[in-house]
Amino acid sequence: MSYDLIVIGTGPGGYVAAIRAAQLGLKTAVVEKRKTHGGTCLNVGCIPSKALLHASHMFEDARDHFEGLGIGVSAPKLDLKKMQAFKQEGVDGNTKGVEFLLKKNKIDAFIGTGRIAAVGQVEVTAEDGSNQLLQTKNILIATGSDVTRLPGIEIDEKAVVSSTGALELESVPKRLVVIGAGVIGLELGSVWRRLGAEVTVVEYLDRILPGMDGEIAKNFQRILSKQGFQFKLGAKVTGVQTTSKSATLTFEPAAGGAAETLEADVVLVAIGRVPYTEGLGLEHVGVQKDNRGRVLTDAHFATNVTGIYAIGDVIAGPMLAHKAEDEGVAVAEILAGKAGHVNYDVIPSVVYTFPEVASVGKTEEELKGAGIAYNAGKFPFTANGRAKVNRTTDGFVKILADAATDKVLGVHIIGPEAGNLIHEAAIAMEFGASSEDMARTCHAHPTLAEAVKEAALAVEKRAIHM
Ligand code: FAD
Ligand code: NAI
């Protein structure tokens, strides 16, 4: 059997690419080394983390907020085993869904580790050691990423965990120390804080969420602190000593100074992810990587070796599932002779805490850095009727528009439903809208989305409810 396309890795990038390729008539196969499809995202990333974020949010609401709404309940009891089963059911439902879609699209799925034996050849090694060699016109590397490790700190997935272990804890740690104030640290920190852990986040930089708009990050840190998060910023972790029951973390000011220690029941290492290409045989066929280990590609996802392409976390760009998916669609369309394209200027990102943080386009820091003059319009949820009545008023919407043309360049939101609201901005930006366009679009009342319209009005200092 010879294929038009073999995709290595069935994460959001790989399985979406395979489906789109099959839709376009390419004879397609996938190779996946996990027993289930869906990659990091469905198995140990987006989906299980969102299940625990949802369940823990419900738990906290029942404990702390129901009474204020006139709903009398006795103190909720945590059944963590059941909550973990709820999470796993969600994961299984999603991974089975991918398996169904692969079958539906007549894509051959091989479970085993894929290695590029030569141009046009993929060797699949199954768990029992058996091998088979598949022939193909094109190969797509979609092998994703892996946890970044801290030198000298061993992740045993018990006392010192990665995100994978932090999704599997069997009891709520009394003290959770998170290394890294990025997306994973704040999302999974939120889960365990809501369920009763004291959470301290140790971050090397002097701010949380590097890359996000600075004003948003500062306000978000204040909100998280109010919720009980403790932050040690500008702190360099130098070691973690573990006993059978707990861990002692040593850190010192990044700028230099006396060392301090923190006691923890569990330490979560969440300092980023690295592209994963182990055992793929890239060196053997001469596929080039950059200095951060990412597979080098051109604007059409082609590597330097003819017939070998790459997408998703394993190449440059934000490590996000929807970025990988869009690249998957684009590369399949390119291989089928169409004009596949990803607009990297409009890739939303969301932190699924409560409130959520969502962002699309340029931050104020980026605009300043690029010397682009802009106007900013801001509107707080305290002035939005729906947020007010729901008592979810933490946060605001910020719209950044070009000072000369009024074109929307960036939108940043902290607030309830921010992860959904941001798509209004993404669509507007995709169509090249001005803040005037957003401001003149009728928004239903009473909705949280009115805060987006008011922020657009605020660009020209004419918000109504402020
Ligand atoms: P992956 O999903 O990593 O898939 C790669 C697949 O390739 C894996 O299944 C792997 O087993 C397989 N593979 C690797 N090497 C081989 C080989 N040699 N042979 C065969 N198979 C191989 N992103 C979001 O957008 N939203 C979120 O809410 C979100 N939450 C996250 C939460 C956590 C805890 C983590 C860790 C990540 C989260 N992400 C989120 C990031 C998201 O998971 C990744 O951006 C996304 O999975 C990347 O997709 P991918 O297809 O490039 O790679
Ligand atoms: P991240 O890059 O978001 O954050 C890592 C943090 O660790 C940064 O603040 C960094 O400054 C800090 N750091 C790095 N080295 C450190 C050290 N030695 N000591 C202390 N702090 C240190 O990475 P994270 O949170 O691990 O997530 C990995 C990837 O997964 C992200 O790139 C993100 O795109 C993706 N992800 C996306 C989610 C979403 O879209 N909601 C959810 C979870 C993960």
Side-chain angles (χ1 to χ4, degrees), residues 202-380:
V202 183
E203 163 62 47
Y204 185 80
L205 300 175
D206 59 2
R207 57 164 291 173
I208 68 168
L209 292 177
M212 279 264 181
D213 184 90
E215 185 185 17
I216 291 277
K218 210 165 171 182
N219 277 275
F220 187 47
Q221 189 189 333
R222 197 156 47 221
I223 292 168
L224 291 175
S225 299
K226 229 169 44 183
Q227 294 177 357
F229 268 86
Q230 307 231 29
F231 289 97
K232 306 270 181 200
L233 301 184
K236 180 177 160 194
V237 175
T238 50
V240 179
Q241 297 293 325
T242 53
T243 65
S244 59
K245 287 213 172 79
S246 65
T248 306
L249 178 131
T250 314
F251 65 96
E252 55 190 43
E260 288 178 57
T261 57
L262 270 173
E263 298 300 317
D265 302 291
V266 173
V267 174
L268 164 59
V269 180
I271 57 164
R273 294 180 63 84
V274 283
Y276 185 79
T277 54
E278 225 173 275
L280 253 184
L282 297 190
E283 296 74 15
H284 172 68
V285 281
V287 170
Q288 279 174 3
K289 293 194 264 184
D290 68 12
N291 57 2
R292 290 167 64 181
R294 302 176 295 197
V295 176
L296 265 178
T297 53
D298 66 12
H300 293 107
F301 310 102
T303 69
N304 60 306
V305 177
T306 307
I308 303 181
Y309 298 78
I311 55 161
D313 278 12
V314 80
I315 69 167
M319 288 184 166
L320 295 171
H322 41 283
K323 175 260 192 188
E325 289 185 42
D326 283 9
E327 289 178 342
V329 168
V331 75
E333 291 180 347
I334 289 166
L335 288 172
K338 295 179 174 289
H341 175 71
V342 176
N343 180 2
Y344 290 98
D345 290 334
V346 186
I347 296 190
S349 68
V350 180
V351 187
Y352 296 88
T353 43
F354 192 88
E356 290 179 342
V357 182
S359 174
V360 63
K362 298 277 186 271
T363 64
E364 284 204 55
E365 292 75 20
E366 283 170 335
L367 292 175
K368 281 181 187 143
I372 298 170
Y374 62 92
N375 292 320
K378 274 186 261 177
F379 191 81

Side-chain angles (χ1 to χ4, degrees), residues 17 28 85 105 113 149 152 174-175 219 274 302 366 378 395 406 418:
T28 306
N105 286 283
T113 302
R149 280 143 222 279
K174 192 169 168 317
R175 299 153 306 177
N219 277 275
V274 283
E366 283 170 335
K378 274 186 261 177
D406 193 35

Side-chain angles (χ1 to χ4, degrees), residues 350-417:
V350 180
V351 187
Y352 296 88
T353 43
F354 192 88
E356 290 179 342
V357 182
S359 174
V360 63
K362 298 277 186 271
T363 64
E364 284 204 55
E365 292 75 20
E366 283 170 335
L367 292 175
K368 281 181 187 143
I372 298 170
Y374 62 92
N375 292 320
K378 274 186 261 177
F379 191 81
F381 281 103
T382 43
N384 171 273
R386 188 68 178 276
K388 220 167 173 164
V389 76
N390 287 353
R391 296 193 193 167
T392 53
T393 50
D394 275 340
F396 60 97
V397 179
K398 171 156 97 174
I399 296 184
L400 306 173
D402 190 290
T405 64
D406 193 35
K407 186 175 177 188
V408 177
L409 301 174
V411 177
H412 308 277
I413 308 175
I414 306 181
E417 299 285 333

